[in-house]
Amino acid sequence: MGTHTDAHIVWDWNGTLFHDVDAVIGATNAAFAELGLAPITLELYRELYCVPVPRFYERLMGRLPSQAEWEVMDAVFHRHYTEHRVRCGLADGVEDLLKDWVAAGRSQSILSMYGHEDLVPLVEDFGISSHFIRVDGRTGPSGGSKAEHMVRHLDALHDTVDPRRTVVIGDAADDALAALHVGAHAVLWTGGSHGRASLEAVGVPVVDSLSEAVAQAERLAVSG
């Protein structure tokens, strides 16, 4: 599945294929509570969220967290998220979109900043692993950018995937920046971690549904 002449999608996981925004907001507020910070709303999260994640915390705290504060907040976030992700599911319509893309003879993969050892079994539990030629989660510390992970992801697929015919679909500005870093296209959707204004500032197509994202991806990949 997939040749250098085929269109390829690199899907983001959290906030894109996996609709986990409620768990993310709950985990973020649990992390803030550790430092006595007030909880935030989804609207404020989407307005201010950025990576590296300590910069996001800086926007809310008025200063960068210390290394000790960051380690505490990061640990609390991941513990809370793990407890509450079990109530989350795939975004609406995802399974049909994945099946149809493969049925058209195209390839797709997942690159997430969620930990690799947690990501792989989660994708398998949803029964969608067979739709992807590769599934990569984050290795190493959390909180950084996706760009270098994207380099490694596409390097591992270099025999079958051409970056010029590859489209990254995600919910964060960092997804688009990672795509541009490797010479790929990007489409961002508004149903995850960022609001429309911050997504549009990146300068790539922004859509309100994943079906629109796939349609845009097809057009961009064909144009090369």
Side-chain angles (χ1 to χ4, degrees):
M1 179 170 60
T3 69
H4 275 306
T5 60
D6 289 335
H8 180 81
I9 291 176
V10 178
W11 289 96
D12 174 55
W13 178 249
N14 302 94
T16 304
L17 292 177
F18 189 46
H19 186 63
D20 61 349
V21 66
D22 290 339
V24 168
I25 295 300
T28 299
N29 283 331
F32 288 170
E34 287 293 312
L35 299 186
L37 300 174
I40 65 169
T41 63
L42 173 60
E43 291 72 23
L44 184 59
Y45 182 94
R46 284 176 166 166
E47 179 184 344
L48 298 180
Y49 180 75
C50 65
V51 295
V53 177
R55 294 291 182 185
F56 168 54
Y57 291 157
E58 180 183 26
R59 292 180 174 185
L60 293 160
M61 299 170 62
R63 62 175 177 82
L64 275 172
S66 68
Q67 184 62 31
E69 288 173 331
W70 160 248
E71 290 174 0
V72 168
M73 296 172 80
D74 190 48
V76 171
F77 175 92
H78 286 288
R79 183 172 68 250
H80 184 96
Y81 177 83
T82 299
E83 292 172 358
H84 291 274
R85 77 176 189 201
V86 295
R87 297 198 296 268
C88 303
L90 297 175
D92 290 343
V94 157
E95 292 177 82
D96 287 339
L97 290 173
L98 298 177
K99 290 176 184 176
D100 291 347
W101 187 260
V102 173
R106 305 182 179 107
S107 62
Q108 55 197 339
S109 59
I110 294 175
L111 175 62
S112 173
M113 294 300 282
Y114 192 44
H116 184 76
E117 293 184 358
D118 294 315
L119 173 67
V120 171
L122 186 55
V123 174
E124 291 174 349
D125 286 345
F126 280 111
I128 58 174
S129 295
S130 63
H131 298 315
F132 305 104
I133 61 174
R134 188 174 183 88
V135 175
D136 283 333
R138 171 186 49 79
T139 57
S142 63
S145 171
K146 186 178 273 189
E148 293 307 318
H149 295 271
M150 187 68 71
V151 171
R152 291 192 291 272
H153 184 73
L154 290 189
D155 279 350
L157 295 172
H158 73 278
D159 288 336
T160 54
V161 171
D162 182 349
R164 294 169 298 179
R165 298 180 64 80
T166 296
V167 182
V168 176
I169 297 179
D171 67 316
D174 191 52
D175 293 308
L177 296 176
L180 297 175
H181 184 69
V182 295
H185 303 279
V187 178
L188 300 176
W189 91 297
T190 59
S193 63
H194 280 38
R196 174 175 282 276
S198 60
L199 296 178
E200 289 179 338
V202 186
V204 302
V206 176
V207 299
D208 295 318
S209 73
L210 291 180
S211 60
E212 291 179 81
V214 171
Q216 284 275 10
E218 185 172 9
R219 286 191 288 270
L220 290 169
V222 167
S223 66

